[in-house]
Amino acid sequence: MGKIYFTLTGTKYYYGKEFLKPGMTLQLEKEPDNQYDKEAIVVKMEGLGDIGYVANSTYTVIGESMSAGRIYDKIGDTAKAKVVLITDRGIICKISKKSLSNLEQ
């Protein structure tokens, strides 16, 4: 399986994005009980907790990065990711290969 990129969005509702830097490690966690989106994946950072969500709308997904709905079945209940690029529209992140390989075994 190739590299999987996603857009981190909604950071303005938590701590903003100013503290994020390329290479920082993030934790993804599925939220199947989310009342707004059954494919919701919350993004967390150690020491802070929730910092945003994996974008799941054509209005919030940047470029060819994948939406939460497209990666939902490619990860387990949790996954690790790294910040790759920070833009005005959102943050591009990459899912760790280890998080993906668990499903392929």
Side-chain angles (χ1 to χ4, degrees):
M1 184 175 291
K3 296 177 183 175
I4 295 183
Y5 295 93
F6 66 90
T7 305
L8 166 58
T9 192
T11 55
K12 66 183 177 183
Y13 300 108
Y14 296 92
Y15 301 99
K17 64 180 180 181
E18 292 72 30
F19 69 95
L20 292 168
K21 304 284 184 245
M24 287 181 142
T25 300
L26 307 173
Q27 179 79 23
L28 307 182
E29 189 175 301
K30 290 180 179 178
E31 268 190 352
D33 296 329
N34 184 297
Q35 64 181 354
Y36 302 106
D37 183 354
K38 294 298 178 200
E39 297 172 321
I41 302 172
V42 67
V43 180
K44 299 176 176 238
M45 185 169 204
E46 189 172 333
L48 286 179
D50 298 357
I51 62 166
Y53 279 84
V54 175
N56 205 20
S57 161
T58 56
Y59 300 108
T60 55
V61 172
I62 298 174
E64 295 180 12
S65 64
M66 290 190 172
S67 66
R70 289 181 62 205
I71 66 172
Y72 199 84
D73 292 332
K74 292 177 175 33
I75 62 172
D77 290 337
T78 64
K80 294 215 180 285
K82 291 217 182 262
V83 175
V84 175
L85 178 67
I86 298 149
T87 73
D88 290 338
R89 287 192 50 219
I91 298 97
I92 303 295
C93 305
K94 180 175 70 170
I95 296 178
S96 160
K97 283 185 182 181
K98 283 185 178 181
S99 294
L100 298 170
S101 64
N102 291 338
L103 295 178
E104 295 176 352
Q105 294 176 355

